């Protein structure tokens, strides 16, 4: 699976609690995508520099039953142009700022990047070149989480969360 993969929580051994949001009309969502909630209250894929609501763990129908992915895929879901009012497919999001996710970034990460902040290149990739000591959508807390020698992989937490009450203040 591409994108973000849940690894563990910094505060508990329990599985993460999910929050559910109806997917915006005509959108395509993939497991592991970073998601934000638009002004209408619907889930859309996150873009660089915007606060993140969470990471997609599942897609369900209006009754909470898992739905089948797009034909020929195992993790991608495209919803109809009337999803918000008819099928109402929802994403189950891992939203905890204490959840850690593995991600294969766009470039090489180094020990000097630990605890730095990064933005996205798209909904499922950390932009390695966006490293900052001050701000970014995600924070790097570990290197090479698979222990396979791949220096582009890191362990990240959501740093700019839509659930953070302080993020909205200027």
């Amino acid at each position: 699976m591409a994108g973000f993969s849940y690894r563990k929580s910094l505060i508990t051994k329990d599985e993460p609690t999910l929050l559910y949001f109806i997917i915006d009309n005509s959108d395509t969502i993939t497991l592991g995508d970073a998601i934000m909630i638009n002004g209408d209250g619907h889930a859309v894929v996150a873009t660089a520099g915007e606060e993140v609501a969470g990471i997609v763990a599942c897609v369900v129908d209006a009754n909470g039953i898992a739905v089948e992915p797009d034909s020929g895929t195992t993790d991608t879901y495209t919803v109809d142009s009337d999803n918000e009012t008819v099928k109402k497919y929802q994403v189950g999001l891992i939203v905890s700022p204490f959840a850690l996710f593995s991600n294969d970034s766009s470039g090489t990460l180094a020990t000097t990047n630990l605890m730095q902040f990064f933005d996205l290149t798209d909904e499922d990739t950390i932009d390695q070149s966006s490293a900052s000591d001050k701000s970014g959508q995600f924070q790097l807390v570990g290197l090479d989480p698979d222990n396979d020698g791949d220096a582009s992989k890191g362990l990240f937490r959501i740093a700019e969360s839509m659930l953070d009450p302080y993020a909205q203040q200027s």
Side-chain angles (χ1 to χ4, degrees):
M1 173 173 80
F4 292 88
S5 176
Y6 176 78
R7 289 303 176 92
K8 63 183 176 180
S9 172
L10 291 172
I11 59 172
T12 180
K13 292 185 188 247
D14 295 335
E15 289 298 311
T17 300
L18 304 181
L19 288 182
Y20 292 86
F21 295 91
I22 295 174
I23 301 168
D24 197 46
N25 291 336
S26 304
D27 273 8
T28 300
I29 302 286
T30 301
L31 298 180
D33 279 353
I35 297 293
M36 54 191 211
I37 307 304
N38 68 16
D40 296 329
H42 299 112
V44 297
V45 293
T47 57
E50 298 294 327
E51 293 172 341
V52 175
I55 304 298
V56 178
C58 64
V59 176
V60 298
D61 66 15
N63 297 313
I65 299 170
V67 297
E68 292 294 319
D70 294 352
S71 177
T73 76
T74 59
D75 62 357
T76 301
Y77 304 80
T78 303
V79 299
D80 296 336
S81 61
D82 58 1
N83 184 65
E84 296 169 15
T85 56
V86 179
K87 288 187 178 175
K88 299 183 181 179
Y89 284 178
Q90 305 171 61
V91 289
L93 299 179
I94 301 170
V95 297
S96 172
F98 300 106
L100 298 180
F101 302 92
S102 174
N103 187 272
D104 194 356
S105 74
S106 66
T108 301
L109 300 167
T111 55
T112 56
N113 293 128
L114 287 170
M115 304 314 285
Q116 286 187 320
F117 299 91
F118 297 82
D119 281 331
L120 296 166
T121 59
D122 58 28
E123 66 275 4
D124 62 8
T125 306
I126 294 290
D127 180 1
Q128 177 273 336
S129 69
S130 69
S132 167
D133 291 333
K134 303 276 185 221
S135 66
Q137 293 166 292
F138 290 86
Q139 184 177 30
L140 178 66
V141 297
L143 298 170
D144 191 15
D146 296 327
N147 294 315
D148 61 4
D150 187 339
S152 65
K153 292 179 183 175
L155 201 57
F156 295 87
R157 71 170 195 88
I158 297 171
E160 291 179 353
S161 169
M162 292 187 90
L163 293 176
D164 183 351
Y166 302 106
Q168 300 295 324
Q169 297 178 1
S170 337

